Amino acid sequence: MKASEIKELTEAELQQKLHDAEQELFNLRLQQSSGQLEKPSRIRALRRDIARIHTVARQQALAKRTA
C-alpha cells in the first residue's frame, strides 16, 4: 500500500486497515513458525505498511490538535 493511498483514508478506515494488517501479520508469523509460509517477503512488506499507517495516523492526530 502506498503512502498516498493511506493519507486519503479517514481515521476509522485507518484503524480498520491497521487491525487487518496486524491480524494478517499474526497469521503470517504462524505460517512461518510451522514452515508453511510461501512468501517470506510479505512479512517485511506488511510491517512497513503497518509503520506507514501509524505514521499517517500520528500526522492526522497532530494536524487535528493544532487546527
Side-chain angles (χ1 to χ4, degrees):
M1 182 175 293
K2 295 185 179 181
S4 59
E5 296 172 356
I6 295 172
K7 288 179 183 178
E8 297 173 358
L9 299 176
T10 65
E11 187 175 335
E13 291 172 334
L14 279 175
Q15 291 299 321
Q16 183 61 39
K17 288 277 187 190
L18 181 61
H19 181 267
D20 293 343
E22 288 175 342
Q23 187 67 37
E24 184 178 351
L25 182 61
F26 176 78
N27 290 334
L28 288 176
R29 285 183 175 157
L30 283 177
Q31 288 178 6
Q32 184 180 27
S33 67
S34 65
Q36 297 175 349
L37 185 61
E38 293 180 13
K39 289 180 77 176
S41 62
R42 181 68 182 135
I43 290 177
R44 184 176 184 185
L46 205 52
R47 285 179 37 226
R48 289 181 178 194
D49 285 344
I50 290 171
R52 282 188 194 104
I53 293 170
H54 279 295
T55 300
V56 170
R58 177 72 175 152
Q59 288 173 344
Q60 288 180 356
L62 290 175
K64 184 186 284 187
R65 191 167 38 176
T66 59

